[in-house]
PDB file of all heavy atoms in Angstrom:
ATOM      1  N   GLU A 163      37.190  -0.846 -39.514  1.00 89.00           N
ATOM      2  CA  GLU A 163      37.702  -1.479 -40.730  1.00 89.00           C
ATOM      3  C   GLU A 163      39.172  -1.842 -40.564  1.00 89.00           C
ATOM      4  O   GLU A 163      39.592  -2.956 -40.912  1.00 89.00           O
ATOM      5  CB  GLU A 163      37.509  -0.535 -41.912  1.00 89.00           C
ATOM      6  CG  GLU A 163      37.848  -1.172 -43.252  1.00 89.00           C
ATOM      7  CD  GLU A 163      37.515  -0.266 -44.419  1.00 89.00           C
ATOM      8  OE1 GLU A 163      37.480   0.974 -44.221  1.00 89.00           O
ATOM      9  OE2 GLU A 163      37.308  -0.789 -45.521  1.00 89.00           O
ATOM     10  N   GLU A 164      39.971  -0.917 -40.023  1.00 89.00           N
ATOM     11  CA  GLU A 164      41.392  -1.197 -39.802  1.00 89.00           C
ATOM     12  C   GLU A 164      41.580  -2.361 -38.837  1.00 89.00           C
ATOM     13  O   GLU A 164      42.452  -3.219 -39.029  1.00 89.00           O
ATOM     14  CB  GLU A 164      42.089   0.051 -39.249  1.00 89.00           C
ATOM     15  CG  GLU A 164      42.235   1.168 -40.288  1.00 89.00           C
ATOM     16  CD  GLU A 164      42.731   2.474 -39.673  1.00 89.00           C
ATOM     17  OE1 GLU A 164      42.872   2.538 -38.428  1.00 89.00           O
ATOM     18  OE2 GLU A 164      42.962   3.435 -40.449  1.00 89.00           O
ATOM     19  N   THR A 165      40.740  -2.421 -37.799  1.00 92.00           N
ATOM     20  CA  THR A 165      40.824  -3.527 -36.834  1.00 92.00           C
ATOM     21  C   THR A 165      40.436  -4.843 -37.484  1.00 92.00           C
ATOM     22  O   THR A 165      41.066  -5.880 -37.248  1.00 92.00           O
ATOM     23  CB  THR A 165      39.911  -3.244 -35.617  1.00 92.00           C
ATOM     24  OG1 THR A 165      40.285  -1.998 -35.034  1.00 92.00           O
ATOM     25  CG2 THR A 165      40.008  -4.337 -34.579  1.00 92.00           C
ATOM     26  N   PHE A 166      39.410  -4.817 -38.326  1.00 89.00           N
ATOM     27  CA  PHE A 166      38.991  -6.028 -39.025  1.00 89.00           C
ATOM     28  C   PHE A 166      40.121  -6.572 -39.903  1.00 89.00           C
ATOM     29  O   PHE A 166      40.366  -7.780 -39.956  1.00 89.00           O
ATOM     30  CB  PHE A 166      37.754  -5.752 -39.888  1.00 89.00           C
ATOM     31  CG  PHE A 166      36.485  -5.512 -39.119  1.00 89.00           C
ATOM     32  CD1 PHE A 166      35.413  -4.851 -39.711  1.00 89.00           C
ATOM     33  CD2 PHE A 166      36.340  -5.946 -37.806  1.00 89.00           C
ATOM     34  CE1 PHE A 166      34.238  -4.630 -39.023  1.00 89.00           C
ATOM     35  CE2 PHE A 166      35.169  -5.731 -37.101  1.00 89.00           C
ATOM     36  CZ  PHE A 166      34.116  -5.062 -37.707  1.00 89.00           C
ATOM     37  N   TYR A 167      40.818  -5.669 -40.606  1.00 87.00           N
ATOM     38  CA  TYR A 167      41.932  -6.090 -41.455  1.00 87.00           C
ATOM     39  C   TYR A 167      43.087  -6.607 -40.608  1.00 87.00           C
ATOM     40  O   TYR A 167      43.684  -7.646 -40.909  1.00 87.00           O
ATOM     41  CB  TYR A 167      42.415  -4.934 -42.335  1.00 87.00           C
ATOM     42  CG  TYR A 167      41.454  -4.543 -43.442  1.00 87.00           C
ATOM     43  CD1 TYR A 167      41.265  -3.207 -43.787  1.00 87.00           C
ATOM     44  CD2 TYR A 167      40.745  -5.515 -44.151  1.00 87.00           C
ATOM     45  CE1 TYR A 167      40.385  -2.839 -44.790  1.00 87.00           C
ATOM     46  CE2 TYR A 167      39.864  -5.149 -45.156  1.00 87.00           C
ATOM     47  CZ  TYR A 167      39.675  -3.821 -45.474  1.00 87.00           C
ATOM     48  OH  TYR A 167      38.809  -3.466 -46.467  1.00 87.00           O
ATOM     49  N   ALA A 168      43.419  -5.892 -39.547  1.00 90.00           N
ATOM     50  CA  ALA A 168      44.571  -6.247 -38.704  1.00 90.00           C
ATOM     51  C   ALA A 168      44.387  -7.603 -38.027  1.00 90.00           C
ATOM     52  O   ALA A 168      45.346  -8.338 -37.819  1.00 90.00           O
ATOM     53  CB  ALA A 168      44.807  -5.156 -37.653  1.00 90.00           C
ATOM     54  N   THR A 169      43.166  -7.930 -37.675  1.00 91.00           N
ATOM     55  CA  THR A 169      42.901  -9.196 -36.976  1.00 91.00           C
ATOM     56  C   THR A 169      42.593 -10.342 -37.925  1.00 91.00           C
ATOM     57  O   THR A 169      42.443 -11.484 -37.491  1.00 91.00           O
ATOM     58  CB  THR A 169      41.713  -9.036 -36.009  1.00 91.00           C
ATOM     59  OG1 THR A 169      40.557  -8.628 -36.752  1.00 91.00           O
ATOM     60  CG2 THR A 169      42.021  -8.026 -34.919  1.00 91.00           C
ATOM     61  N   GLY A 170      42.495 -10.046 -39.212  1.00 87.00           N
ATOM     62  CA  GLY A 170      42.180 -11.089 -40.182  1.00 87.00           C
ATOM     63  C   GLY A 170      40.693 -11.387 -40.277  1.00 87.00           C
ATOM     64  O   GLY A 170      40.276 -12.314 -40.973  1.00 87.00           O
ATOM     65  N   PHE A 171      39.867 -10.632 -39.583  1.00 88.00           N
ATOM     66  CA  PHE A 171      38.425 -10.829 -39.635  1.00 88.00           C
ATOM     67  C   PHE A 171      37.883 -10.495 -41.024  1.00 88.00           C
ATOM     68  O   PHE A 171      36.926 -11.095 -41.489  1.00 88.00           O
ATOM     69  CB  PHE A 171      37.747  -9.951 -38.583  1.00 88.00           C
ATOM     70  CG  PHE A 171      36.258 -10.124 -38.510  1.00 88.00           C
ATOM     71  CD1 PHE A 171      35.696 -11.231 -37.885  1.00 88.00           C
ATOM     72  CD2 PHE A 171      35.401  -9.179 -39.075  1.00 88.00           C
ATOM     73  CE1 PHE A 171      34.321 -11.383 -37.822  1.00 88.00           C
ATOM     74  CE2 PHE A 171      34.026  -9.330 -39.017  1.00 88.00           C
ATOM     75  CZ  PHE A 171      33.476 -10.440 -38.382  1.00 88.00           C
ATOM     76  N   LEU A 172      38.546  -9.531 -41.678  1.00 85.00           N
ATOM     77  CA  LEU A 172      38.122  -9.088 -42.999  1.00 85.00           C
ATOM     78  C   LEU A 172      39.306  -9.212 -43.958  1.00 85.00           C
ATOM     79  O   LEU A 172      40.417  -8.799 -43.630  1.00 85.00           O
ATOM     80  CB  LEU A 172      37.651  -7.627 -42.918  1.00 85.00           C
ATOM     81  CG  LEU A 172      36.895  -7.056 -44.109  1.00 85.00           C
ATOM     82  CD1 LEU A 172      35.626  -7.851 -44.390  1.00 85.00           C
ATOM     83  CD2 LEU A 172      36.532  -5.599 -43.822  1.00 85.00           C
ATOM     84  N   ASP A 173      39.070  -9.802 -45.119  1.00 84.00           N
ATOM     85  CA  ASP A 173      40.111  -9.961 -46.139  1.00 84.00           C
ATOM     86  C   ASP A 173      40.117  -8.710 -47.024  1.00 84.00           C
ATOM     87  O   ASP A 173      39.126  -8.416 -47.687  1.00 84.00           O
ATOM     88  CB  ASP A 173      39.802 -11.201 -46.980  1.00 84.00           C
ATOM     89  CG  ASP A 173      40.885 -11.505 -48.009  1.00 84.00           C
ATOM     90  OD1 ASP A 173      41.804 -10.665 -48.168  1.00 84.00           O
ATOM     91  OD2 ASP A 173      40.803 -12.555 -48.646  1.00 84.00           O
ATOM     92  N   PRO A 174      41.251  -7.950 -47.050  1.00 81.00           N
ATOM     93  CA  PRO A 174      41.280  -6.711 -47.845  1.00 81.00           C
ATOM     94  C   PRO A 174      41.084  -6.964 -49.343  1.00 81.00           C
ATOM     95  O   PRO A 174      40.638  -6.080 -50.074  1.00 81.00           O
ATOM     96  CB  PRO A 174      42.663  -6.128 -47.555  1.00 81.00           C
ATOM     97  CG  PRO A 174      43.455  -7.210 -46.916  1.00 81.00           C
ATOM     98  CD  PRO A 174      42.500  -8.197 -46.346  1.00 81.00           C
ATOM     99  N   LYS A 175      41.384  -8.191 -49.799  1.00 82.00           N
ATOM    100  CA  LYS A 175      41.223  -8.498 -51.223  1.00 82.00           C
ATOM    101  C   LYS A 175      39.745  -8.765 -51.562  1.00 82.00           C
ATOM    102  O   LYS A 175      39.314  -8.542 -52.680  1.00 82.00           O
ATOM    103  CB  LYS A 175      42.061  -9.724 -51.604  1.00 82.00           C
ATOM    104  CG  LYS A 175      43.553  -9.447 -51.488  1.00 82.00           C
ATOM    105  CD  LYS A 175      44.325 -10.698 -51.786  1.00 82.00           C
ATOM    106  CE  LYS A 175      45.821 -10.441 -51.561  1.00 82.00           C
ATOM    107  NZ  LYS A 175      46.599 -11.662 -51.649  1.00 82.00           N
ATOM    108  N   GLU A 176      39.007  -9.278 -50.573  1.00 82.00           N
ATOM    109  CA  GLU A 176      37.584  -9.549 -50.782  1.00 82.00           C
ATOM    110  C   GLU A 176      36.777  -9.052 -49.580  1.00 82.00           C
ATOM    111  O   GLU A 176      36.262  -9.846 -48.800  1.00 82.00           O
ATOM    112  CB  GLU A 176      37.354 -11.059 -50.955  1.00 82.00           C
ATOM    113  CG  GLU A 176      37.896 -11.614 -52.259  1.00 82.00           C
ATOM    114  CD  GLU A 176      37.516 -13.073 -52.420  1.00 82.00           C
ATOM    115  OE1 GLU A 176      36.314 -13.392 -52.292  1.00 82.00           O
ATOM    116  OE2 GLU A 176      38.414 -13.877 -52.646  1.00 82.00           O
ATOM    117  N   PRO A 177      36.677  -7.742 -49.444  1.00 74.00           N
ATOM    118  CA  PRO A 177      35.967  -7.208 -48.278  1.00 74.00           C
ATOM    119  C   PRO A 177      34.449  -7.420 -48.326  1.00 74.00           C
ATOM    120  O   PRO A 177      33.758  -7.269 -47.329  1.00 74.00           O
ATOM    121  CB  PRO A 177      36.306  -5.720 -48.309  1.00 74.00           C
ATOM    122  CG  PRO A 177      36.645  -5.437 -49.733  1.00 74.00           C
ATOM    123  CD  PRO A 177      37.232  -6.695 -50.298  1.00 74.00           C
ATOM    124  N   LYS A 178      33.965  -7.781 -49.487  1.00 79.00           N
ATOM    125  CA  LYS A 178      32.523  -7.974 -49.690  1.00 79.00           C
ATOM    126  C   LYS A 178      31.756  -6.716 -49.261  1.00 79.00           C
ATOM    127  O   LYS A 178      32.195  -5.605 -49.506  1.00 79.00           O
ATOM    128  CB  LYS A 178      32.046  -9.230 -48.973  1.00 79.00           C
ATOM    129  CG  LYS A 178      32.761 -10.482 -49.505  1.00 79.00           C
ATOM    130  CD  LYS A 178      32.207 -11.735 -48.939  1.00 79.00           C
ATOM    131  CE  LYS A 178      32.958 -12.924 -49.536  1.00 79.00           C
ATOM    132  NZ  LYS A 178      32.559 -14.181 -48.944  1.00 79.00           N
ATOM    133  N   ARG A 179      30.621  -6.892 -48.587  1.00 85.00           N
ATOM    134  CA  ARG A 179      29.804  -5.725 -48.260  1.00 85.00           C
ATOM    135  C   ARG A 179      29.714  -5.474 -46.756  1.00 85.00           C
ATOM    136  O   ARG A 179      28.806  -4.782 -46.303  1.00 85.00           O
ATOM    137  CB  ARG A 179      28.389  -5.913 -48.802  1.00 85.00           C
ATOM    138  CG  ARG A 179      28.351  -5.971 -50.306  1.00 85.00           C
ATOM    139  CD  ARG A 179      26.926  -6.045 -50.767  1.00 85.00           C
ATOM    140  NE  ARG A 179      26.868  -6.092 -52.219  1.00 85.00           N
ATOM    141  CZ  ARG A 179      25.769  -6.289 -52.897  1.00 85.00           C
ATOM    142  NH1 ARG A 179      24.637  -6.470 -52.254  1.00 85.00           N
ATOM    143  NH2 ARG A 179      25.762  -6.313 -54.211  1.00 85.00           N
ATOM    144  N   LEU A 180      30.621  -6.027 -45.998  1.00 85.00           N
ATOM    145  CA  LEU A 180      30.545  -5.897 -44.543  1.00 85.00           C
ATOM    146  C   LEU A 180      30.530  -4.433 -44.104  1.00 85.00           C
ATOM    147  O   LEU A 180      29.692  -4.025 -43.297  1.00 85.00           O
ATOM    148  CB  LEU A 180      31.714  -6.632 -43.870  1.00 85.00           C
ATOM    149  CG  LEU A 180      31.771  -6.470 -42.352  1.00 85.00           C
ATOM    150  CD1 LEU A 180      30.536  -7.066 -41.693  1.00 85.00           C
ATOM    151  CD2 LEU A 180      33.026  -7.079 -41.775  1.00 85.00           C
ATOM    152  N   MET A 181      31.432  -3.619 -44.634  1.00 87.00           N
ATOM    153  CA  MET A 181      31.523  -2.236 -44.180  1.00 87.00           C
ATOM    154  C   MET A 181      30.287  -1.424 -44.597  1.00 87.00           C
ATOM    155  O   MET A 181      29.856  -0.535 -43.866  1.00 87.00           O
ATOM    156  CB  MET A 181      32.810  -1.573 -44.686  1.00 87.00           C
ATOM    157  CG  MET A 181      34.083  -2.165 -44.067  1.00 87.00           C
ATOM    158  SD  MET A 181      34.011  -2.428 -42.262  1.00 87.00           S
ATOM    159  CE  MET A 181      33.813  -0.759 -41.662  1.00 87.00           C
ATOM    160  N   GLN A 182      29.705  -1.768 -45.753  1.00 88.00           N
ATOM    161  CA  GLN A 182      28.453  -1.095 -46.148  1.00 88.00           C
ATOM    162  C   GLN A 182      27.349  -1.406 -45.147  1.00 88.00           C
ATOM    163  O   GLN A 182      26.582  -0.525 -44.734  1.00 88.00           O
ATOM    164  CB  GLN A 182      28.012  -1.560 -47.540  1.00 88.00           C
ATOM    165  CG  GLN A 182      28.884  -1.073 -48.672  1.00 88.00           C
ATOM    166  CD  GLN A 182      28.446  -1.677 -50.006  1.00 88.00           C
ATOM    167  OE1 GLN A 182      27.356  -2.253 -50.110  1.00 88.00           O
ATOM    168  NE2 GLN A 182      29.300  -1.546 -51.005  1.00 88.00           N
ATOM    169  N   ARG A 183      27.314  -2.663 -44.734  1.00 89.00           N
ATOM    170  CA  ARG A 183      26.299  -3.071 -43.751  1.00 89.00           C
ATOM    171  C   ARG A 183      26.551  -2.426 -42.391  1.00 89.00           C
ATOM    172  O   ARG A 183      25.618  -2.019 -41.703  1.00 89.00           O
ATOM    173  CB  ARG A 183      26.271  -4.589 -43.630  1.00 89.00           C
ATOM    174  CG  ARG A 183      25.727  -5.238 -44.900  1.00 89.00           C
ATOM    175  CD  ARG A 183      25.705  -6.730 -44.805  1.00 89.00           C
ATOM    176  NE  ARG A 183      25.168  -7.293 -46.026  1.00 89.00           N
ATOM    177  CZ  ARG A 183      25.632  -8.396 -46.601  1.00 89.00           C
ATOM    178  NH1 ARG A 183      26.639  -9.057 -46.062  1.00 89.00           N
ATOM    179  NH2 ARG A 183      25.073  -8.849 -47.706  1.00 89.00           N
ATOM    180  N   MET A 184      27.824  -2.342 -42.006  1.00 88.00           N
ATOM    181  CA  MET A 184      28.173  -1.689 -40.745  1.00 88.00           C
ATOM    182  C   MET A 184      27.762  -0.215 -40.783  1.00 88.00           C
ATOM    183  O   MET A 184      27.254   0.330 -39.808  1.00 88.00           O
ATOM    184  CB  MET A 184      29.678  -1.796 -40.485  1.00 88.00           C
ATOM    185  CG  MET A 184      30.169  -3.197 -40.178  1.00 88.00           C
ATOM    186  SD  MET A 184      29.562  -3.841 -38.617  1.00 88.00           S
ATOM    187  CE  MET A 184      30.345  -2.750 -37.452  1.00 88.00           C
TER     188      MET A 184
END
Side-chain angles (χ1 to χ4, degrees):
E163 187 174 25
E164 289 171 355
T165 303
F166 289 160
Y167 289 141
T169 59
F171 183 77
L172 193 59
D173 184 352
K175 294 176 184 172
E176 290 185 52
K178 300 187 179 175
R179 295 185 180 173
L180 176 63
M181 293 315 297
Q182 290 175 13
R183 291 179 179 141
M184 291 293 294

